Amino acid sequence: MELTAILTGRKAPGKEVGTREDAAFAERYGAADTVGQLKECEYLLRKNEMLFNMESDDELIDCRIYEREALLARYQYLLRRVRAERAAAKAASAG
């Protein structure tokens, strides 16, 4: 549920809006454009890795692994979008 809230930008029921770090990240990078979303995804991957390294419960370790796989899939998608947007902008400026 938490990962869905992170990826969709919606608040999970009964959860805080986010940490101060999350708010500082959103203020610094924003997430309105594709590049901002890509930076946010990179941030979430780093955060996931940190939390994975702190876990000791087997089930929670599995949870972090699944979160990482979902974040990597999103990262690859956003990377393709950024490349396509840049190629389209380059083609538009050349033609």
Side-chain angles (χ1 to χ4, degrees), residues 29-42:
Y29 294 111
D33 62 346
T34 307
V35 174
Q37 290 179 36
L38 189 63
K39 289 179 182 180
E40 180 183 21
C41 195
E42 290 172 349

Side-chain angles (χ1 to χ4, degrees), residues 1-7 15 44-45 47-72:
M1 185 70 157
E2 181 178 326
L3 181 60
T4 303
I6 290 169
L7 294 177
K15 294 279 184 182
L44 292 172
L45 280 164
K47 187 174 178 180
N48 173 269
E49 182 178 356
M50 179 194 65
L51 293 170
F52 173 82
N53 289 332
M54 294 185 337
E55 290 297 349
S56 59
D57 185 276
D58 289 340
E59 291 178 15
L60 293 177
I61 290 172
D62 287 345
C63 175
R64 297 295 173 201
I65 292 170
Y66 291 128
E67 284 180 22
R68 179 172 163 53
E69 292 300 316
L71 287 167
L72 285 172

